[in-house]
Amino acid sequence: MAYQLYYWNGIQGRGEFVRLALEEAGAEYVDVTRQEGIGMGTSAMFQFMESGSEAPIPFAPPFLKDGNLLISHVANILFYLGPRLGLAPTDEGLRYPANGLQLTITDFVCEVHDTHHPISTARYYEDQKAEAKARSAAFIGDRIPKYLGYFERILQQNPNGPEHIVGAELSYVDLSLFQVIEGLNYAFPTAMNGYADRYSGLAALHQRVRMRPKIAAYLSSPRRLAFNEDGIFRHYPELDLAG
Ligand SMILES: N[C@@H](CCC(=O)N[C@@H](CS)C(=O)NCC(=O)O)C(=O)O
């Protein structure tokens, strides 16, 4: 049975981390809110979240349905899917460090979101522009170097070599790092200018993932939506300073 991915229609958002894993594995999945028909579309997701029929109901998308199983939170979904899709370290002892890295990506993505919504998710960007500017300056000056520096170090210290962040084979964490770099390049092109000189391992990983046949096919397919200013990674020129 096909996996069912529930996520907001019209954006890559956090759902994209799950899509990349499903696409790389060639897994059968349905992007529920992008479909039309009975039990499909965005209303199906709302109904699902309000129905109370499945416990516990997720707080927020993305969530994945596999048969009767309902799994929320990107890192949790990938922890579940990883071994099933052949995208988790074969050494079970490495699956927890992989999950730890993915949870660090979750934290980072949250900080990316807060660059444009530092005060409240419930308010428009235009109502928190001044705070967003201050937040973005700190994000670019302090947090991008701290997170990317960390991932670069972990890559370089991988006993299996710097091709992958964990283990000897491609994992879902590599795919998520690809998406983080893609997103940062879109949102903060000025801050990211020359990043490959500072984080050469991450830049190489990003290129390798982009060239993988299934990922390349996905990226040029209509399923890969363009980044836009409704998603997590938003490009507002006024927030993008030199790094
Ligand atoms: N920790 C969750 C975060 C989920 C999340 O924040 N989802 C957003 C969309 S990307 C949402 O719909 N949030 C609704 C809200 O916070 O009220 C994950 O990693 O999946």
Side-chain angles (χ1 to χ4, degrees):
M1 201 200 291
Y3 294 109
Q4 290 192 322
L5 173 64
Y6 287 78
Y7 190 67
W8 302 113
N9 193 8
I11 59 170
Q12 294 182 17
R14 287 179 169 92
E16 200 66 11
F17 295 98
V18 181
R19 278 188 207 100
L20 283 168
L22 292 165
E23 292 281 348
E24 168 61 28
E28 213 186 317
Y29 74 100
V30 179
D31 219 319
V32 175
T33 67
R34 293 187 190 171
Q35 313 295 310
E36 289 176 13
I38 296 166
M40 295 293 176
T42 303
S43 59
M45 186 168 82
F46 277 115
Q47 265 174 25
F48 198 94
M49 290 175 71
E50 286 160 12
S51 70
S53 63
E54 312 251 355
I57 299 289
F59 175 73
F63 48 93
L64 184 88
K65 210 167 176 313
D66 182 17
N68 289 330
L69 210 54
L70 180 63
I71 305 161
S72 59
H73 291 271
V74 171
N76 201 28
I77 296 168
L78 291 173
F79 189 68
Y80 172 78
L81 283 179
R84 286 165 177 79
L85 301 182
L87 287 171
T90 40
D91 174 355
E92 280 201 45
L94 285 179
R95 291 191 188 162
Y96 298 96
N99 189 40
L101 287 163
Q102 192 66 42
L103 286 162
T104 307
I105 292 172
T106 294
D107 291 343
F108 191 28
V109 168
C110 204
E111 293 195 29
V112 172
H113 169 271
D114 289 352
T115 59
H116 48 80
H117 279 78
I119 300 297
S120 171
T121 306
R123 288 199 220 157
Y124 290 113
Y125 163 65
E126 286 69 23
D127 298 334
Q128 42 194 319
K129 247 175 141 173
E131 294 89 347
K133 271 191 181 176
R135 183 73 187 236
S136 295
F139 178 75
I140 289 166
D142 306 331
R143 303 304 280 174
I144 291 184
K146 184 155 186 182
Y147 276 103
L148 294 193
Y150 167 75
F151 291 128
E152 177 71 25
R153 208 163 60 245
I154 298 301
L155 259 181
Q156 300 298 349
Q157 289 172 356
N158 183 349
N160 296 288
E163 282 208 7
H164 304 292
I165 191 84
V166 61
E169 310 287 340
L170 181 85
S171 74
Y172 63 82
V173 191
D174 294 319
L175 300 176
S176 291
L177 283 173
F178 161 80
Q179 178 66 5
V180 164
I181 299 293
E182 281 284 295
L184 290 175
N185 282 337
Y186 171 77
F188 300 105
T190 307
M192 289 294 282
N193 188 27
Y195 93 99
D197 298 335
R198 303 191 287 279
Y199 313 106
S200 59
L202 277 176
L205 180 144
H206 174 253
Q207 284 309 320
R208 274 195 304 277
V209 170
R210 169 179 278 290
M211 313 260 286
R212 294 184 70 82
K214 290 212 176 89
I215 295 294
Y218 169 61
L219 294 178
S220 57
S221 79
R223 297 188 302 287
R224 171 75 167 189
L225 302 183
F227 285 107
N228 61 42
E229 278 55 67
D230 291 321
I232 303 280
F233 294 98
R234 302 185 184 192
H235 179 58
Y236 294 120
E238 62 274 21
L239 303 185
D240 179 25
L241 311 168

